[in-house]
């Protein structure tokens, strides 16, 4: 049995409209595709990791509404995720995300977190303490940022490893950085955190160095179709993205994070885990949705072994 990954974070009911362009302020366009489904950065990452054969618990908060009822069903259906860590609250709605996708697969997202904001550091720390054989705890920022930072600091003090996907980007207190073992921003998030404008791997290396200087052990910065950089105190590496026909990049970063965590928990070294996650994310961007698009272990392994991507 692989060691346990705990993902603490968001679930959102998702409403997607796909059309030729993403509307700007005051603009209206006719779209061509509409669907609703599950999402949220935490849920996407937990499902992606579980599909990769990792042993995953998802700790989240849902409202007692129809989106919450759907969440319970869909987390089980797609990721085999269930149990007491999936909690319902009376006083908030289930998180929702309204997503526009354009013809090139780019997206723009508005999240209303609702019940996600009620997840506390205390709940996360006690979930970890009552779980055996925890390998790493994954965080994102669609919940209360202060509570997530407190949880990482408390877990780090207990010797528990953490991964932060700092999305959506938010200013973080300096004292949280040393409590982050792995940070995985995309280029926009890395720019907000570090002030380095990133369009090239070299610029991403500079941003990575700043994050390492603040106390993070490993920075993985994804640049979408341009690839991914890895920065530690001793090493810098670049992994190119696979050339594919992207239909919907929504949640590509989540599939990357979940698959990366899964690969690490199965013993892959850092660069190989990034290459593995790169394969999984490249499969997911060729499909619509995230739960529905995240690949299983077998499909990812076939691509990974056919070419280290
Ligand atoms: P999201 O916020 O929607 O979850 P993100 O912006 O965090 O996504 P990206 O940096 O766009 O994440 O992409 C994450 C990974 O997904 C990339 O490192 C790459 O492996 C893969 N990927 C994304 N877009 C493409 C693409 N167009 N072609 C191939 N691979 C892609
Ligand atoms: O990263 C993509 C996710 O962000 C979507 O599933 C949506 O729920 C938003 O939270």
């Amino acid at each position: 049995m692989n060691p346990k990954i705990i993902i603490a974070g968001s679930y959102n009911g998702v409403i997607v409209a796909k059309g030729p362009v993403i509307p700007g302020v005051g603009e209206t366009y006719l779209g061509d595709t509409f669907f609703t489904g599950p999402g949220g950065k935490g849920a996407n990452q937990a499902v992606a990791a579980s599909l990769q054969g990792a042993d995953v618990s998802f700790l989240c908060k849902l409202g007692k509404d129809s989106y919450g009822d759907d969440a319970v069903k869909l987390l089980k259906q797609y990721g085999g995720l269930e149990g007491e860590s999936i909690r319902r609250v009376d006083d908030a709605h289930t998180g929702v995300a309204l997503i526009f996708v354009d013809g090139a697969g780019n997206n723009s997202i508005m999240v209303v977190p609702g019940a996600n904001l009620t997840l506390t550091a205390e709940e996360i720390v006690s979930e970890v303490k009552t779980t055996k054989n925890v390998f790493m705890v994954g965080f994102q920022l669609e919940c209360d940022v202060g509570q997530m930072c407190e949880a990482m600091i408390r877990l780090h003090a207990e010797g528990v490893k953490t991964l932060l996907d700092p999305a959506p980007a938010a200013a973080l207190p300096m004292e949280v950085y040393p409590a982050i073992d792995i940070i995985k921003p995309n280029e926009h998030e890395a720019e907000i955190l570090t002030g380095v404008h990133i369009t090239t791997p070299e610029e991403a290396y500079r941003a990575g160095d700043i994050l390492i200087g603040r106390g993070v052990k490993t920075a993985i910065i994804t640049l979408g179709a341009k690839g991914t950089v890895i920065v530690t105190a001793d090493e810098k590496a670049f992994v190119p993205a696979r050339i594919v026909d992207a239909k919907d990049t929504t949640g590509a970063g989540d599939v990357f994070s979940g698959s990366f965590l899964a690969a690490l928990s199965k013993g892959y070294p850092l660069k190989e885990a990034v290459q593995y996650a790169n394969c999984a994310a490249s499969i997911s961007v060729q499909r619509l949705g995230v739960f529905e698009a995240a690949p299983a272990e077998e499909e990812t392994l076939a691509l990974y072994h056919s070419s280290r991507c």
Side-chain angles (χ1 to χ4, degrees):
M1 190 76 168
N2 297 315
K4 186 76 139 188
I5 295 168
I6 296 179
I7 305 281
S10 57
Y11 175 92
N12 294 324
V14 168
I15 299 166
V16 181
K18 190 167 192 284
V21 287
I22 292 171
V25 174
E27 293 179 337
T28 305
Y29 292 95
L30 296 185
D32 51 54
T33 308
F34 165 76
F35 61 93
T36 60
K41 293 185 185 303
N44 292 340
Q45 294 179 20
V47 166
S50 182
L51 284 170
Q52 294 298 340
D55 185 7
V56 184
S57 278
F58 179 42
L59 175 58
C60 69
K61 296 299 233 2
L62 306 169
K64 289 183 177 164
D65 48 22
S66 61
Y67 285 111
D69 295 342
D70 289 346
V72 171
K73 264 189 264 155
L74 296 167
L75 287 165
K76 184 168 178 197
Q77 180 186 327
Y78 284 96
L81 302 167
E82 56 187 331
E84 285 172 14
S85 60
I86 296 167
R87 298 175 187 167
R88 311 289 295 266
V89 296
D90 286 314
D91 49 355
H93 64 82
T94 301
V96 287
L98 310 181
I99 305 182
F100 288 114
V101 180
D102 73 12
N106 303 304
N107 63 66
S108 115
I109 304 178
M110 168 81 75
V111 170
V112 188
N116 293 311
L117 294 175
T118 70
L119 182 63
T120 65
E122 183 55 36
E123 286 174 300
I124 298 169
V125 172
S126 72
E127 178 77 13
V128 174
K129 282 188 176 165
T130 53
T131 306
K132 289 202 184 86
N133 198 18
V134 175
F135 169 72
M136 202 173 264
V137 183
F139 292 86
Q140 336 75 45
L141 298 178
E142 288 180 334
C143 297
D144 182 301
V145 174
Q147 293 292 321
M148 298 306 107
C149 290
E150 182 186 330
M152 286 185 273
I153 289 169
R154 287 174 61 185
L155 290 175
H156 175 70
E158 302 273 347
V160 177
K161 288 200 166 34
T162 61
L163 177 145
L164 173 64
D165 191 330
L172 298 174
M174 283 299 160
E175 62 268 24
V176 79
Y177 287 98
I180 302 170
D181 288 281
I182 302 176
I183 195 164
K184 197 235 67 144
N186 67 18
E187 72 263 52
H188 308 294
E189 292 143 7
E191 179 168 342
I192 289 167
L193 293 176
T194 64
V196 177
H197 179 60
I198 302 172
T199 54
T200 62
E202 289 66 32
E203 288 160 346
Y205 288 145
R206 261 200 287 135
D209 280 337
I210 291 173
L211 295 167
I212 299 299
R214 291 179 189 166
V216 171
K217 299 198 187 42
T218 300
I220 310 284
I221 302 178
T222 60
L223 312 172
K226 290 191 214 137
T228 302
V229 307
I230 305 168
V231 182
T232 68
D234 311 316
E235 166 188 15
K236 285 188 175 60
F238 172 70
V239 175
R242 288 184 61 84
I243 297 167
V244 297
D245 180 14
K247 287 198 174 50
D248 178 9
T249 60
T250 309
D254 298 334
V255 172
F256 185 100
S257 286
S259 308
F260 172 68
L261 265 172
L264 284 182
S265 78
K266 289 188 260 179
Y268 284 55
L270 180 62
K271 186 167 181 196
E272 283 77 357
V274 168
Q275 289 169 326
Y276 187 90
N278 196 38
C279 288
S282 79
I283 296 171
S284 77
V285 299
Q286 297 174 72
R287 303 170 181 162
L288 292 179
V290 188
F291 280 29
E292 309 87 329
E297 183 178 24
E298 203 180 322
E299 189 179 7
T300 314
L301 272 175
L303 187 58
Y304 177 75
H305 287 306
S306 71
S307 63
R308 281 283 171 90
C309 39

